[in-house]
Amino acid sequence: MRQVSEKSAAAVPSSSSGLKRGLDALLYSSGLVAAAATSLTWATFLFWRVHIPFRLALLIFSATLFLYNIDSVLPYKFRQQAVLSERKRWMIQHRRELFGLALVSLAVAGALFWLDGWRHLTLFLGHLAAISLLYSFPIVKVAGRWWALRDLPLLKVFLIAYVWAAITVWVPALYLGKALTAPVVLVLFGRRFFFILALAFVFDIRDYTKDLLSGTRTFPGIFGLRAAKVLALLCLAVSGLLIPQGVTPAHLLVLTIPTLLTGLLVWFADETRPDYYFALLADGVMVVQFLAVYWVA
């Protein structure tokens, strides 16, 4: 009887360890980020009372998975002089797997792009892909240092917000034949842009020390952490005030839930928080926004 009890007790840590390994794999391979991008795109479709086509969802999921994983295995990132977080150590240990996942994701996204007739949007989607790829890839050498787009002072949060808003709002609009200059599309784009911008400040706070060491000039690094949080909350408020025509008061009430959660994440953000605070909660709140939209749709 004692042996059985000892075996059961030993199995608990093993099970817990297995769960953590699985969660680490999901979060640090950008699986949740890709799901969030797909979810927000789906939420835009639901605004027009249409479900996202499965193949388009797969295209967005795989393209996001490719872009984030190819970014995470760039050689120069592993030479940066910064304190290694648990997330960064996991990425270093699984660098080959992440590169393989990026290649598979690229193959899937490329096949869907070609087969599903998106070629006429090559320039539109291409400029978003170019921003995403050049975001971290060093392209210009200035004073002995290689610069990527993210290294330009204060630019990185706006690049992130623009690309995410373009993918999750403009792509559904184009698919459904909506003009990008239509008032409702512009309001939806602005609402999504400022929502993502608020979250981007959270990740700038996470990278505060790393960005200081690498010379990247961000809002927290220049103006301080408290000022960055205030700016993030202002962006969140602007997002909440941009209400597209046709949204009912009941819908707005439900949509305040992810907004309030995001506000709490912003206010309590700190670089000393565990990696899960950012990889699970900050990324997960985008999925919560989709669930709120789905619930009232």
Side-chain angles (χ1 to χ4, degrees), residues 84-188:
L84 290 181
S85 64
E86 180 183 350
R87 168 177 154 271
K88 182 58 71 70
R89 284 195 295 269
W90 189 96
M91 289 179 172
I92 292 174
Q93 294 168 1
H94 298 86
R95 191 176 177 187
R96 289 185 178 180
E97 291 87 344
L98 292 176
F99 183 65
L101 180 59
L103 293 181
V104 171
S105 301
L106 176 61
V108 173
L112 290 170
F113 174 84
W114 185 264
L115 295 174
D116 288 357
W118 290 93
R119 293 189 298 280
H120 66 290
L121 295 177
T122 297
L123 288 178
F124 169 74
L125 296 174
H127 95 279
L128 297 176
I131 292 173
S132 301
L133 289 170
L134 297 178
Y135 172 80
S136 292
F137 194 86
I139 52 175
V140 178
K141 194 172 186 179
V142 179
R145 177 195 167 193
W146 285 97
W147 287 61
L149 287 179
R150 60 166 286 148
D151 295 318
L152 298 176
L154 306 180
L155 185 61
K156 58 185 286 194
V157 289
F158 296 104
L159 292 175
I160 294 170
Y162 171 72
V163 171
W164 272 74
I167 291 295
T168 62
V169 174
W170 281 348
V171 168
L174 290 170
Y175 186 90
L176 296 173
K178 313 285 184 181
L180 299 188
T181 54
V184 67
V185 176
L186 291 176
V187 172
L188 284 171

Side-chain angles (χ1 to χ4, degrees), residues 36-52:
T38 309
S39 297
L40 289 180
T41 308
W42 191 351
T44 304
F45 272 98
L46 288 175
F47 173 79
W48 285 299
R49 302 193 181 283
V50 178
H51 284 288
I52 187 171

